[in-house]
PDB file of all heavy atoms in Angstrom:
ATOM      1  N   GLU A 931      77.085 118.381  97.987  1.00  0.00           N
ATOM      2  CA  GLU A 931      76.638 118.442  96.599  1.00  0.00           C
ATOM      3  C   GLU A 931      77.848 118.371  95.682  1.00  0.00           C
ATOM      4  O   GLU A 931      78.820 119.109  95.870  1.00  0.00           O
ATOM      5  CB  GLU A 931      75.859 119.735  96.314  1.00  0.00           C
ATOM      6  CG  GLU A 931      75.450 119.847  94.842  1.00  0.00           C
ATOM      7  CD  GLU A 931      74.595 121.075  94.519  1.00  0.00           C
ATOM      8  OE1 GLU A 931      74.370 121.908  95.417  1.00  0.00           O
ATOM      9  OE2 GLU A 931      74.165 121.169  93.344  1.00  0.00           O
ATOM     10  N   LEU A 933      79.734 119.194  92.379  1.00  0.00           N
ATOM     11  CA  LEU A 933      79.676 120.258  91.371  1.00  0.00           C
ATOM     12  C   LEU A 933      80.850 120.070  90.416  1.00  0.00           C
ATOM     13  O   LEU A 933      82.005 120.000  90.844  1.00  0.00           O
ATOM     14  CB  LEU A 933      79.719 121.625  92.058  1.00  0.00           C
ATOM     15  CG  LEU A 933      78.496 121.929  92.942  1.00  0.00           C
ATOM     16  CD1 LEU A 933      78.815 122.998  93.983  1.00  0.00           C
ATOM     17  CD2 LEU A 933      77.297 122.346  92.082  1.00  0.00           C
ATOM     18  N   ASN A 990      73.700 116.884  90.392  1.00  0.00           N
ATOM     19  CA  ASN A 990      72.829 117.648  89.490  1.00  0.00           C
ATOM     20  C   ASN A 990      72.574 116.872  88.209  1.00  0.00           C
ATOM     21  O   ASN A 990      73.498 116.334  87.604  1.00  0.00           O
ATOM     22  CB  ASN A 990      73.477 118.991  89.144  1.00  0.00           C
ATOM     23  CG  ASN A 990      73.561 119.907  90.341  1.00  0.00           C
ATOM     24  OD1 ASN A 990      72.579 120.505  90.742  1.00  0.00           O
ATOM     25  ND2 ASN A 990      74.742 119.972  90.939  1.00  0.00           N
ATOM     26  N   GLU A1022      69.430 116.032  91.943  1.00  0.00           N
ATOM     27  CA  GLU A1022      68.875 117.388  91.892  1.00  0.00           C
ATOM     28  C   GLU A1022      68.403 117.706  90.483  1.00  0.00           C
ATOM     29  O   GLU A1022      69.178 117.634  89.533  1.00  0.00           O
ATOM     30  CB  GLU A1022      69.929 118.429  92.319  1.00  0.00           C
ATOM     31  CG  GLU A1022      70.376 118.273  93.756  1.00  0.00           C
ATOM     32  CD  GLU A1022      71.170 119.474  94.275  1.00  0.00           C
ATOM     33  OE1 GLU A1022      71.242 120.510  93.585  1.00  0.00           O
ATOM     34  OE2 GLU A1022      71.720 119.351  95.383  1.00  0.00           O
ATOM     35  N   LEU A1050      64.393 119.252  94.317  1.00  0.00           N
ATOM     36  CA  LEU A1050      64.053 120.283  93.340  1.00  0.00           C
ATOM     37  C   LEU A1050      65.011 121.451  93.549  1.00  0.00           C
ATOM     38  O   LEU A1050      64.986 122.112  94.587  1.00  0.00           O
ATOM     39  CB  LEU A1050      62.600 120.718  93.563  1.00  0.00           C
ATOM     40  CG  LEU A1050      61.739 121.015  92.351  1.00  0.00           C
ATOM     41  CD1 LEU A1050      61.881 119.957  91.262  1.00  0.00           C
ATOM     42  CD2 LEU A1050      60.283 121.158  92.757  1.00  0.00           C
ATOM     43  N   ASP A1051      65.898 121.662  92.555  1.00  0.00           N
ATOM     44  CA  ASP A1051      66.964 122.658  92.654  1.00  0.00           C
ATOM     45  C   ASP A1051      66.432 124.044  92.282  1.00  0.00           C
ATOM     46  O   ASP A1051      65.472 124.155  91.524  1.00  0.00           O
ATOM     47  CB  ASP A1051      68.091 122.255  91.685  1.00  0.00           C
ATOM     48  CG  ASP A1051      69.447 122.784  92.113  1.00  0.00           C
ATOM     49  OD1 ASP A1051      69.507 123.568  93.079  1.00  0.00           O
ATOM     50  OD2 ASP A1051      70.441 122.404  91.482  1.00  0.00           O
ATOM     51  N   ASP A1052      67.079 125.074  92.815  1.00  0.00           N
ATOM     52  CA  ASP A1052      66.713 126.463  92.488  1.00  0.00           C
ATOM     53  C   ASP A1052      65.218 126.684  92.685  1.00  0.00           C
ATOM     54  O   ASP A1052      64.571 127.378  91.893  1.00  0.00           O
ATOM     55  CB  ASP A1052      67.111 126.805  91.040  1.00  0.00           C
ATOM     56  CG  ASP A1052      68.573 126.533  90.769  1.00  0.00           C
ATOM     57  OD1 ASP A1052      69.373 126.556  91.721  1.00  0.00           O
ATOM     58  OD2 ASP A1052      68.924 126.298  89.600  1.00  0.00           O
ATOM     59  N   PHE A1053      64.670 126.097  93.743  1.00  0.00           N
ATOM     60  CA  PHE A1053      63.225 126.128  93.938  1.00  0.00           C
ATOM     61  C   PHE A1053      62.714 127.566  94.057  1.00  0.00           C
ATOM     62  O   PHE A1053      63.279 128.380  94.777  1.00  0.00           O
ATOM     63  CB  PHE A1053      62.828 125.328  95.185  1.00  0.00           C
ATOM     64  CG  PHE A1053      61.344 125.317  95.423  1.00  0.00           C
ATOM     65  CD1 PHE A1053      60.493 124.748  94.493  1.00  0.00           C
ATOM     66  CD2 PHE A1053      60.812 125.891  96.563  1.00  0.00           C
ATOM     67  CE1 PHE A1053      59.121 124.755  94.694  1.00  0.00           C
ATOM     68  CE2 PHE A1053      59.441 125.897  96.781  1.00  0.00           C
ATOM     69  CZ  PHE A1053      58.592 125.326  95.846  1.00  0.00           C
ATOM     70  N   LYS A1072      65.354 122.751  97.316  1.00  0.00           N
ATOM     71  CA  LYS A1072      66.508 123.619  97.514  1.00  0.00           C
ATOM     72  C   LYS A1072      66.076 125.043  97.180  1.00  0.00           C
ATOM     73  O   LYS A1072      65.894 125.393  96.009  1.00  0.00           O
ATOM     74  CB  LYS A1072      67.679 123.153  96.648  1.00  0.00           C
ATOM     75  CG  LYS A1072      68.104 121.726  97.022  1.00  0.00           C
ATOM     76  CD  LYS A1072      69.466 121.385  96.514  1.00  0.00           C
ATOM     77  CE  LYS A1072      70.554 122.054  97.321  1.00  0.00           C
ATOM     78  NZ  LYS A1072      71.897 121.597  96.866  1.00  0.00           N
ATOM     79  N   VAL A1073      65.879 125.831  98.222  1.00  0.00           N
ATOM     80  CA  VAL A1073      65.352 127.182  98.069  1.00  0.00           C
ATOM     81  C   VAL A1073      66.436 128.076  97.462  1.00  0.00           C
ATOM     82  O   VAL A1073      67.538 128.206  98.020  1.00  0.00           O
ATOM     83  CB  VAL A1073      64.852 127.729  99.419  1.00  0.00           C
ATOM     84  CG1 VAL A1073      64.413 129.182  99.281  1.00  0.00           C
ATOM     85  CG2 VAL A1073      63.716 126.854  99.943  1.00  0.00           C
ATOM     86  N   ASP A1074      66.124 128.658  96.329  1.00  0.00           N
ATOM     87  CA  ASP A1074      67.130 129.365  95.546  1.00  0.00           C
ATOM     88  C   ASP A1074      67.763 130.538  96.310  1.00  0.00           C
ATOM     89  O   ASP A1074      67.104 131.237  97.075  1.00  0.00           O
ATOM     90  CB  ASP A1074      66.520 129.889  94.242  1.00  0.00           C
ATOM     91  CG  ASP A1074      67.596 130.352  93.288  1.00  0.00           C
ATOM     92  OD1 ASP A1074      68.351 129.494  92.797  1.00  0.00           O
ATOM     93  OD2 ASP A1074      67.708 131.581  93.054  1.00  0.00           O
ATOM     94  N   LYS A1075      69.041 130.710  96.039  1.00  0.00           N
ATOM     95  CA  LYS A1075      69.834 131.773  96.655  1.00  0.00           C
ATOM     96  C   LYS A1075      69.167 133.152  96.557  1.00  0.00           C
ATOM     97  O   LYS A1075      69.298 133.968  97.464  1.00  0.00           O
ATOM     98  CB  LYS A1075      71.188 131.802  95.949  1.00  0.00           C
ATOM     99  CG  LYS A1075      72.158 132.842  96.443  1.00  0.00           C
ATOM    100  CD  LYS A1075      73.504 132.690  95.730  1.00  0.00           C
ATOM    101  CE  LYS A1075      74.532 133.668  96.266  1.00  0.00           C
ATOM    102  NZ  LYS A1075      74.135 135.083  96.162  1.00  0.00           N
ATOM    103  N   GLU A1108      69.812 127.712  99.916  1.00  0.00           N
ATOM    104  CA  GLU A1108      71.019 127.802  99.086  1.00  0.00           C
ATOM    105  C   GLU A1108      71.702 129.160  99.223  1.00  0.00           C
ATOM    106  O   GLU A1108      71.041 130.181  99.393  1.00  0.00           O
ATOM    107  CB  GLU A1108      70.657 127.664  97.603  1.00  0.00           C
ATOM    108  CG  GLU A1108      70.206 126.303  97.143  1.00  0.00           C
ATOM    109  CD  GLU A1108      70.163 126.253  95.615  1.00  0.00           C
ATOM    110  OE1 GLU A1108      69.491 127.098  95.004  1.00  0.00           O
ATOM    111  OE2 GLU A1108      70.811 125.360  95.049  1.00  0.00           O
ATOM    112  N   GLN A1128      73.227 125.578 102.795  1.00  0.00           N
ATOM    113  CA  GLN A1128      74.426 125.379 101.994  1.00  0.00           C
ATOM    114  C   GLN A1128      74.889 126.756 101.578  1.00  0.00           C
ATOM    115  O   GLN A1128      74.069 127.623 101.291  1.00  0.00           O
ATOM    116  CB  GLN A1128      74.032 124.536 100.768  1.00  0.00           C
ATOM    117  CG  GLN A1128      75.118 124.208  99.788  1.00  0.00           C
ATOM    118  CD  GLN A1128      74.572 123.318  98.649  1.00  0.00           C
ATOM    119  OE1 GLN A1128      73.429 122.879  98.685  1.00  0.00           O
ATOM    120  NE2 GLN A1128      75.395 123.088  97.647  1.00  0.00           N
TER     121      GLN A1128
HETATM  122 MG1   MG B2357      71.009 124.818  93.459  1.00  0.00          MG
END
Side-chain angles (χ1 to χ4, degrees):
E931 177 176 4
L933 295 158
N990 293 283
E1022 296 193 9
L1050 218 45
D1051 206 353
D1052 306 334
F1053 181 62
K1072 299 197 75 175
V1073 175
D1074 192 68
K1075 180 176 184 302
E1108 290 192 305
Q1128 180 178 354

